[in-house]
Amino acid sequence: AQTVTQSQPEMSVQEAETVTLSCTYDTSESNYYLFWYKQPPSRQMILVIRQEAYKQQNATENRFSVNFQKAAKSFSLKISDSQLGDTAMYFCALGAGGGNKLTFGTGTQLKVEL
Amino acid sequence: EAQVTQNPRYLITVTGKKLTVTCSQNMNHEYMSWYRQDPGLGLRQIYYSMNVEVTDKGDVPEGYKVSRKEKRNFPLILESPSPNQTSLYFCASSLSRQGGTQYFGPGTRLLVL
């Protein structure tokens, strides 16, 4: 069975500052993928970033980057130069095992303040 | 435009009245899935389909049915809804290979009275 844990239910950050959201996971699979999804107030699920576990290099997408620590089973998301539009719920997700199932964490509500 | 559509977006119903939530994708994806989102629980998989006529249970399948008669459509059926099925439902699709990025529909908010 796969598990994903997000231990920070809520976080806040000042505009233009940097914030890091934590995620740990557990799986017995050797081949898996990790994702961060953003859910703004519209409730739409938007892919932020994707990491392949067999790649050592951390994924980056503009202001978003991850710190993937495979041995520690940790997958944190760093948002640089935070913007008001980054205010959203952020979900960490693990894709492992048969098919293409995603196992989600419980989410971190991020609020970007002026 | 590549997208996943769901209908209806909002639905209020009563206990026991059968309902169907439709899901359609235009990306020729083999894999489709249904999730429900509840506060404090994240998203949990209900059912998934690897291709036409191939479906299987996810983590919380009780009280739900699905079918996959066409590649683009994957409806979710609640034959006898109960209040504990009040939730936000998402349909998603992707290529079938493991790790393929899943694209989500806009969500359907269901209230069962």
Side-chain angles (χ1 to χ4, degrees):
Chain A
Q2 278 69 241
T3 61
V4 176
T5 302
Q6 296 179 249
S7 58
Q8 305 154 312
E10 297 178 347
M11 296 189 71
S12 63
V13 63
Q14 297 292 315
E15 196 177 21
E17 297 294 306
T18 295
V19 64
T20 298
L21 280 57
S22 301
C23 172
T24 59
Y25 63 93
D26 192 26
T27 179
S28 58
E29 301 288 335
S30 58
N31 186 27
Y32 57 90
Y33 298 77
L34 293 157
F35 305 83
W36 279 97
Y37 279 89
K38 169 185 177 181
Q39 187 180 49
S42 67
R43 299 297 189 184
Q44 178 71 48
M45 293 290 288
I46 302 166
L47 178 68
V48 175
I49 202 162
R50 174 179 179 269
Q51 174 79 43
E52 295 152 333
Y54 62 86
K55 287 188 176 180
Q56 293 185 336
Q57 187 173 4
N58 289 325
T60 63
E61 286 289 343
N62 301 313
R63 298 183 294 108
F64 299 87
S65 61
V66 298
N67 183 5
F68 176 44
Q69 301 288 328
K70 192 171 185 177
K73 295 185 177 178
S74 171
F75 183 62
S76 60
L77 175 69
K78 186 172 83 171
I79 305 174
S80 303
D81 186 26
S82 296
Q83 301 175 0
L84 295 177
D86 295 333
T87 292
M89 180 73 85
Y90 287 82
F91 290 99
C92 179
L94 166 68
N100 205 13
K101 173 187 174 181
L102 290 178
T103 300
F104 284 84
T106 53
T108 296
Q109 178 65 52
L110 176 67
K111 183 177 181 181
V112 180
E113 300 172 326
L114 291 169
Chain B
E1 178 189 358
Q3 60 181 349
V4 179
T5 58
Q6 292 179 229
N7 283 292
R9 295 288 311 281
Y10 304 91
L11 181 59
I12 301 174
T13 189
V14 296
T15 298
K17 185 176 182 181
K18 181 179 178 180
L19 66 92
T20 299
V21 183
T22 64
C23 173
S24 183
Q25 50 92 5
N26 63 1
M27 295 170 278
N28 202 35
H29 285 164
E30 297 91 1
Y31 184 92
M32 297 185 74
S33 181
W34 278 101
Y35 296 86
R36 61 177 288 173
Q37 181 181 358
D38 302 291
L41 296 178
L43 281 77
R44 295 176 293 166
Q45 191 183 55
I46 303 170
Y47 268 95
Y48 67 94
S49 169
M50 296 293 287
N51 213 323
V52 175
E53 302 292 1
V54 181
T55 64
D56 206 349
K57 297 177 181 178
D59 295 324
V60 288
E62 295 77 19
Y64 304 95
K65 286 178 58 177
V66 293
S67 67
R68 187 93 181 270
K69 293 182 169 54
E70 302 169 288
K71 195 172 186 179
R72 64 183 291 128
N73 296 324
F74 190 46
L76 179 70
I77 303 160
L78 285 71
E79 297 242 336
S80 183
S82 62
N84 64 11
Q85 293 178 298
T86 292
S87 187
L88 177 60
Y89 291 87
F90 287 99
C91 179
S93 75
S94 71
L95 295 173
S96 63
R97 68 178 189 276
Q98 186 183 29
T101 298
Q102 292 197 31
Y103 297 88
F104 284 80
T108 294
R109 187 169 290 281
L110 173 64
L111 173 61
V112 183
L113 301 173

